[in-house]
Amino acid sequence: MRATAMTVEESRTAFAVPQAILRRSGFAAAAPLFAADLASARDAREAEGVVASHGRRLWTEAVRQSDGVPDDRYLYWARLTLSARLREWVPSFELGEAGRAALADRLEGASRGHDDLVFPPDDKLLRVVVTGFDPYGLDEDVRRSNPSGSAALALHGSDLDVGGRRAAVRSAVFPVRWRDLGAGMVERALAPHYVPGAGAVAADAVITVGQGRSEHFGLPVYNAGRRGEDPDNEGVRAPGPVPAPREAPTLDPMPEWTSSTLPRQAILEGAGGPFAVDGGTGVVEVPAAQDAPQHRSGGPTPGSRGRAGGSGDHVANEVAYRNTLLRDATGRAIPAGHVLTPVLEIDSADPEALSGPGFERDRAAIVDQLRAIVRAALEVPEG
């Protein structure tokens, strides 16, 4: 896609509901301030500084929301207004398509917390990375929130007491877009926490989180190396095998399946709350020497080809697959896996309502119980 062409997601910012969410959030002023600073940039280096600083500011302000549990929709719609301004910006210097695309990528990473996945150099500290997702299914209901995104914002920078040790949580958010995953966004964000470089430290657990399709938490065991037919947030379909990582550690050939190393029993016993927590070994596979996909409740059979993991065959499955592939490729024996949250819906018959008592109650309960799941995942070392 052209770096100057407005995306499907950006076009939705003109709708009444996103505009109302931005007004409610206090982030409505972010786009004009960003545009003014961009207009003053004298070269590509200054432009990159503007993009990075405004992106980080969005992330920081989204994390610092003081009115209850953070609303992930504020960050989502504010980021899209900035990216739209970046696409329409006419610089006073030569930039080019590739230069503008690089600035767009910089805005994405900075505003999603990818710059902020940094831990203090304390050997006694447990380091936990937790990731969430943008809202999705917006063509069905543009008001939608994703509780995994709210949880990422709420947990970022927090400390947990795990058996007398302090666990520091750092979070980030991923888009619901195939193109970003194929371009290596997951690996750029997470690989440093498996193979740390200069000045970085490895994580003790990496937990990806997404919204499920039910009213309970899920702990899917298996991830398929396959994309399904469902469209992403840009309406793009990309069925077929998960593309191989471009630069990060990987396995060759790419496996049909990866699996979670989260301690399921410890989580099932230690993460109580208003929502049930279910383990899940279900997959959709094409058994060896067969052609038709089959549902199987006990995990994949030897030699089978993956079609869907416990998280399905959409973006959540792929992020879970890429995370656990990094773990296997680097040989790190740490808890790494995926968690599915309950569905979060607005409990109002009014199509213009942006919230409701049940919505706020359930979002807070999901965040609290996910915090307990993360703590339980660290209580018992896997293996």
Side-chain angles (χ1 to χ4, degrees), residues 8 43 54 62 74 87 100-102 106 129 152 154 170 229 246 252 272 275 280 293 300 304 332 348 355 377:
V8 171
D43 55 33
H54 280 265
Y74 297 175
R87 292 185 196 283
R100 192 184 295 267
R106 191 72 190 87
V129 175
R170 299 293 182 269
E229 296 280 352
R246 297 180 179 181
D252 187 14
F275 301 99
S304 70
R332 293 290 313 287
S348 173
S355 184

Side-chain angles (χ1 to χ4, degrees), residues 281-345:
T281 58
V283 298
V284 179
E285 66 172 10
V286 179
Q290 297 187 32
D291 298 321
Q294 298 181 12
H295 290 266
R296 178 176 169 79
S297 61
T301 55
S304 70
R305 302 188 301 280
R307 288 299 178 267
S311 301
D313 59 6
H314 203 236
V315 171
N317 168 77
E318 181 162 332
V319 169
Y321 177 89
R322 290 181 180 276
N323 175 39
T324 47
L325 180 63
L326 277 169
R327 179 205 61 212
D328 294 344
T330 57
R332 293 290 313 287
I334 64 171
H338 197 66
V339 177
L340 295 172
T341 75
V343 172
L344 183 63
E345 299 284 359

